[in-house]
């Protein structure tokens, strides 16, 4: 193992079995269905177009070849969604209290949702209460859209985010 | 103003052209025809002009190929002849209007990081800029020439600055920040605006409140003692998301633009009341609201993440 990692030996959890979506009841492609919690979770973990050919696009941990789900940074319950109000809140749990990668993880979640959801969505990203040493500062930074915009003009940061969002073949 | 009159914001044709979010709008302070500058995440500035014959708005010119990153803020000089633009590329550009064309006549460098805001003092003799690098720079405009000298660098904030704003009559500069100061707010303060007399100001914040502040303007003018700004009231419970912009009109109406896509208008004291709320003023966040400088024909410009600039006419309901 390369030394100097923030969390050298993270606990890796089993992937959850996916619930199967049955969309057979609704064949009208123009009907509008509300976006629900599971769908947001799927957006965070899959690329819709390739969902059936095992081309999984988990958001990866910046340090480890595991997905955020495997590290329990995100679970299905991390996602609160209110489609009527066009509102999503994702609460993630960094693997260690002093995780300096938490900003990149939060930014990656935001970018993934920004790219996947309709623009009308208001997105709040937070770390779970008590899960990080600089929780308040982190939350503030992740939800300041000016700083997010500025960060996304930084090629090095964008590269890190894209790396987290890049496809992993398994 | 009669508080009982029923006001409405009538939407005029929207100004389309920016291909990214619009951060800021600024009316030319002296032009007889309404002229508006807007700046965007697509690194450009657009100048919009109203044609009184056709009653239409058009984009007069696009200022591009100077800034290489987001243009966060723009401000006309008090003479209306110069436009300053602040960018995430770390520079502030000064543009001069040569009749049909705008030319970048100066590029102010010095900040170590993104420039967030730019403001001219009332005389047009000083320019202030602030940055992510936590500093405020004051530039002196040297007479006649297109020269700008750094007169002072002020470090006082502990975090990212969001906005600098000169007092409307005096050479006193105000700044607000990610560090929650101006004191009193519990989260990032995004904007500051003064009333015409300069004895009151409004600040808006990520804490979902507007705060009204007051000072003894006579004492401020006398310069005999430091004139304190005291907190007059807090307008809370009106906004659901971050308030990015607040602007005080000459006839004492405070407009706010917020992350809940709405524009709200509040009447100035003795009791501050909500005059109207325009829901879905834009499809997404409203980043900037600004009243036109004219006494008549009250226009409000707004800018949004949806890439649009909108002009609203404040009218009395029939």
């Amino acid at each position: 193992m390369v030394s100097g990692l923030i969390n050298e030996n993270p606990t890796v959890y089993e992937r959850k079995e996916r619930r199967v979506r049955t969309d057979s009841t609704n064949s009208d492609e123009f009907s509008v269905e509300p976006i629900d919690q599971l769908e947001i979770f799927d957006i965070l973990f899959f690329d819709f177009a390739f969902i059936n050919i095992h081309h999984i696009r988990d958001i990866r941990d910046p340090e480890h070849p595991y997905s955020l789900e495997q590290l329990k940074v995100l679970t299905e319950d991390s996602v609160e969604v209110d489609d009527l109000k066009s509102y999503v809140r994702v609460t993630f749990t960094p693997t260690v209290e002093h995780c300096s990668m938490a900003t990149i993880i939060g930014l990656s979640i935001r970018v993934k949702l920004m790219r996947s959801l309709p623009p009308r969505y208001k997105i709040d990203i937070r770390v779970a209460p008590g899960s990080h040493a600089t929780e308040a500062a982190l939350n503030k930074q992740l939800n300041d859209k000016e700083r997010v915009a500025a960060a996304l003009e930084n090629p090095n940061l964008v590269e890190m985010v894209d790396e987290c969002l890049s496809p992993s073949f398994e | 103003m009669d508080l009982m009159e029923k006001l409405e914001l009538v939407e005029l044709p929207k100004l389309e052209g920016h291909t990214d979010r619009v951060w800021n709008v600024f009316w030319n302070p002296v032009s007889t025809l309404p002229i508006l500058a807007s700046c965007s995440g697509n690194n450009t500035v657009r100048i919009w002009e109203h044609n009184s014959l056709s009653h239409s708005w058009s984009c007069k010119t696009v200022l591009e190929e100077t800034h290489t990153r987001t243009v966060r803020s723009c401000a006309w000089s008090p003479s209306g002849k110069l436009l300053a633009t602040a960018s995430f590329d770390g520079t502030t550009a000064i543009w001069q209007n040569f009749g049909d064309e705008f030319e970048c006549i100066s590029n102010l460098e010095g900040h170590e990081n993104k420039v967030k805001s730019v403001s001219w003092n009332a005389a047009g003799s000083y320019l202030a800029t602030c940055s992510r690098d936590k500093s405020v720079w004051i530039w002196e405009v040297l007479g006649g020439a297109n020269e700008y000298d750094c007169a002072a660098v002020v470090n006082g904030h502990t975090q990212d600055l969001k906005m600098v704003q000169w007092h409307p009559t005096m050479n006193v500069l105000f700044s607000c920040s990610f560090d929650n100061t101006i004191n009193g707010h519990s989260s990032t303060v995004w904007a500051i605006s003064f009333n015409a007399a300069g004895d009151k100001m409004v600040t808006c914040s990520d804490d979902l409140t507007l705060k009204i502040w007051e000072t003894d303007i006579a004492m401020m003018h006398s310069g005999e003692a430091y004139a304190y700004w005291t907190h007059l009231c807090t307008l809370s419970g009106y906004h659901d998301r971050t308030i990015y912009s607040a602007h005080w009109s000459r006839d004492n109406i405070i407009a706010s633009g917020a992350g809940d896509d709405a524009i709200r208008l509040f009447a100035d004291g003795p009791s501050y009341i909500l005059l109207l709320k325009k829901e879905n003023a834009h499809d997404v966040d409203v980043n900037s609201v600004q009243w036109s400088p004219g006494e008549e024909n009250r226009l409000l410009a707004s800018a949004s993440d949806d890439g649009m600039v909108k002009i609203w006419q404040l009218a009395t309901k029939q």
Side-chain angles (χ1 to χ4, degrees):
Chain A
M1 206 75 205
V2 185
S3 63
L5 292 178
I6 308 295
N7 183 1
E8 283 199 29
N9 293 302
T11 316
V12 181
Y13 300 85
E14 285 289 307
R15 284 159 180 281
K16 258 174 109 177
E17 280 295 314
R18 299 291 169 194
R19 271 188 263 154
V20 180
R21 278 192 169 271
T22 48
D23 289 337
S24 54
T25 49
N26 200 332
S27 55
D28 180 3
E29 62 178 305
F30 294 108
S31 75
V32 179
E33 280 192 72
I35 294 176
D36 62 13
Q37 189 191 31
L38 180 61
E39 195 158 349
I40 301 291
F41 193 67
D42 284 344
I43 286 172
L44 289 171
F45 287 98
F46 293 93
D47 183 47
F48 278 153
F50 301 106
I51 199 164
N52 290 322
I53 57 167
H54 306 288
H55 183 160
I56 300 167
R57 271 190 176 180
D58 288 6
I59 298 181
R60 273 192 291 180
D61 186 86
E63 289 195 324
H64 298 286
Y66 304 116
S67 75
L68 297 186
E69 183 191 21
Q70 286 173 299
L71 300 174
K72 280 218 169 146
V73 172
L74 284 176
T75 68
E76 219 170 286
D77 292 331
S78 307
V79 179
E80 294 164 66
V81 56
D82 186 333
D83 187 62
L84 277 178
K85 290 183 178 160
S86 303
Y87 178 71
V88 179
R89 176 154 76 180
V90 178
T91 308
F92 69 100
T93 309
T95 53
V96 285
E97 255 196 5
H98 294 276
C99 184
S100 58
M101 292 292 167
T103 314
I104 292 294
I105 293 171
L107 197 59
S108 299
I109 295 170
R110 180 173 285 284
V111 168
K112 182 71 180 173
L113 290 174
M114 275 163 53
R115 289 177 184 169
S116 312
L117 288 172
R120 66 184 160 90
Y121 265 86
K122 306 292 179 189
I123 305 165
D124 284 340
I125 310 285
R126 291 175 197 285
V127 290
S131 70
H132 199 272
T134 59
E135 180 183 326
L138 201 55
N139 285 340
K140 206 171 167 201
Q141 191 169 5
L142 289 171
N143 294 293
D144 182 318
K145 73 172 183 187
E146 185 186 63
R147 291 175 73 131
V148 169
L152 296 179
E153 289 188 1
N154 177 334
N156 297 328
L157 268 175
V158 172
E159 198 179 314
M160 287 179 83
V161 166
D162 281 336
E163 181 63 26
C164 293
L165 299 178
S166 69
S168 57
F169 297 90
E170 295 183 38
Chain B
M1 198 199 100
D2 179 6
L3 296 181
M4 298 310 288
E5 72 178 329
K6 293 282 181 218
L7 296 169
E8 63 179 337
L9 281 175
V10 180
E11 186 179 345
L12 304 178
K14 51 172 101 54
L15 312 183
E16 300 181 57
H18 284 298
T19 54
D20 201 314
R21 65 160 54 115
V22 187
W23 277 111
N24 192 216
V25 281
F26 206 107
W27 292 98
N28 187 298
V30 293
S31 170
T32 45
L33 288 173
I35 292 178
L36 185 73
S38 63
C39 59
S40 163
N42 68 357
N43 311 350
T44 65
V45 179
R46 283 177 172 255
I47 312 289
W48 310 88
E49 209 173 53
H50 184 250
N51 184 319
S52 55
L53 290 176
S54 61
H55 294 288
S56 63
W57 290 83
S58 57
C59 178
K60 189 187 175 199
T61 184
V62 182
L63 313 185
E64 53 194 346
E65 287 167 8
T66 291
H67 289 302
T68 55
R69 295 276 167 87
T70 286
V71 188
R72 176 65 182 86
S73 167
C74 56
W76 294 98
S77 64
S79 70
K81 288 176 183 153
L82 302 173
L83 180 72
T85 56
S87 168
F88 284 180
D89 66 16
T91 70
T92 304
I94 311 291
W95 307 78
Q96 190 171 345
N97 185 357
F98 292 98
D100 280 343
E101 275 189 34
F102 281 79
E103 229 174 84
C104 178
I105 56 164
S106 206
N107 213 338
L108 313 183
E109 294 177 9
H111 280 295
E112 290 166 20
N113 211 316
K114 294 138 198 120
V115 188
K116 297 293 181 72
S117 173
V118 59
S119 175
W120 299 86
N121 72 336
S125 52
Y126 288 106
L127 190 70
T129 56
C130 68
S131 162
R132 173 71 202 279
D133 68 14
K134 305 168 193 170
S135 71
V136 173
W137 287 50
I138 296 169
W139 309 81
E140 188 174 0
V141 185
L142 299 180
N146 302 330
E147 267 182 62
Y148 296 80
D149 257 10
C150 177
V153 176
V154 186
N155 291 293
H157 284 284
T158 59
Q159 290 277 1
D160 195 8
L161 277 124
K162 293 299 187 190
M163 190 183 188
V164 275
Q165 180 70 48
W166 289 95
H167 186 268
T169 58
M170 301 194 57
N171 279 338
V172 180
L173 184 69
F174 293 75
S175 59
C176 58
S177 166
F178 187 81
D179 68 13
N180 305 356
T181 59
I182 295 171
N183 288 325
H185 281 290
S186 60
S187 189
T188 304
V189 184
W190 281 89
I192 306 165
S193 178
F194 293 92
N195 67 348
D199 62 345
K200 283 184 189 171
M201 71 174 168
V202 60
T203 52
C204 66
S205 168
D206 180 53
D207 69 11
L208 311 185
T209 71
L210 294 169
K211 284 183 185 287
I212 314 287
W213 311 79
E214 190 179 39
T215 192
D216 183 338
I217 192 75
M219 183 189 278
M220 196 173 169
H221 275 288
S222 75
E224 282 169 14
Y226 178 77
Y228 286 95
W229 286 78
T230 50
H231 173 235
L232 201 61
C233 86
T234 298
L235 302 177
S236 60
Y238 292 105
H239 297 81
D240 304 324
R241 306 276 299 171
T242 306
I243 312 165
Y244 292 112
S245 177
H247 195 246
W248 205 310
S249 81
R250 288 198 181 182
D251 49 359
N252 280 324
I253 298 174
I254 298 163
S256 73
D260 59 11
D261 316 343
I263 293 174
R264 293 170 181 78
L265 303 183
F266 298 89
D268 180 27
S271 62
Y272 289 80
I273 58 161
L274 180 70
L275 290 174
L276 75 84
K277 177 183 178 185
K278 188 81 186 172
E279 304 251 24
N280 305 314
H282 284 268
D283 292 340
V284 287
D285 295 9
V286 182
N287 295 326
S288 177
V289 284
Q290 203 191 39
W291 294 101
S292 64
E295 299 286 346
E296 298 160 24
N297 223 5
R298 289 177 291 180
L299 298 174
L300 181 73
S302 62
S304 164
D305 277 357
D306 63 14
M308 297 293 167
V309 174
K310 288 187 180 181
I311 313 285
W312 309 84
Q313 172 98 57
L314 183 62
T316 309
K317 267 184 200 161
Q318 296 298 311

